[in-house]
Amino acid sequence: MRRELKNDTFVKEQLMEVIKYQKEHNIIQECGENEKGYFMPFRAVVRKDKLSTQVRMVFNCSSCEKGNLSLNDCLDQGPNLNPSVLDIILGFRKFKIGFCGDIEKAFFNDWNRRGR
């Protein structure tokens, strides 16, 4: 990844902005060079056709060290809380005006509010 970022200054600058934002909002934290533990790998996903977020950081939650579980292996799946698409579409027929929205940064603001 370092080689890739060395050749593409746009992606490097955008990725550094994402890291800076996440660090300021306590989403990620810096660790020392000699610190031991598991560090989740990530990669940059670049979409230059998008106006708002052209570079985003995507973590690989399925990676793990030999003999250990990944983060995905440790998660409890739980029930599906997403409403069915048919219910949503039919819901638009109930009222004269309908609206929809987008959740900023996939719940990062809520994560920060809980003090994690």
Side-chain angles (χ1 to χ4, degrees), residues 55-109:
V55 177
R56 30 183 200 103
M57 185 185 296
V58 177
F59 292 93
N60 183 358
C61 296
S62 64
S63 72
C64 62
E65 293 178 344
K66 190 174 183 178
N68 294 323
L69 297 173
S70 70
L71 180 59
N72 285 347
D73 294 332
C74 298
L75 297 175
D76 179 25
Q77 185 173 350
N80 184 359
L81 300 176
N82 293 322
S84 77
V85 175
L86 181 60
D87 290 342
I88 292 171
I89 293 172
L90 291 175
F92 275 98
R93 299 188 69 178
K94 290 182 183 178
F95 304 101
K96 205 173 195 179
I97 300 172
F99 69 95
C100 63
D102 190 11
I103 300 174
E104 181 186 340
K105 307 290 184 196
F107 310 107
F108 278 148
N109 290 335

Side-chain angles (χ1 to χ4, degrees), residues 1 4 11 15 40-46 55-60:
M1 182 167 195
E4 202 176 298
V11 174
L15 194 56
M40 193 181 323
F42 69 91
R43 65 184 188 91
V45 173
V46 182
V55 177
R56 30 183 200 103
M57 185 185 296
V58 177
F59 292 93
N60 183 358

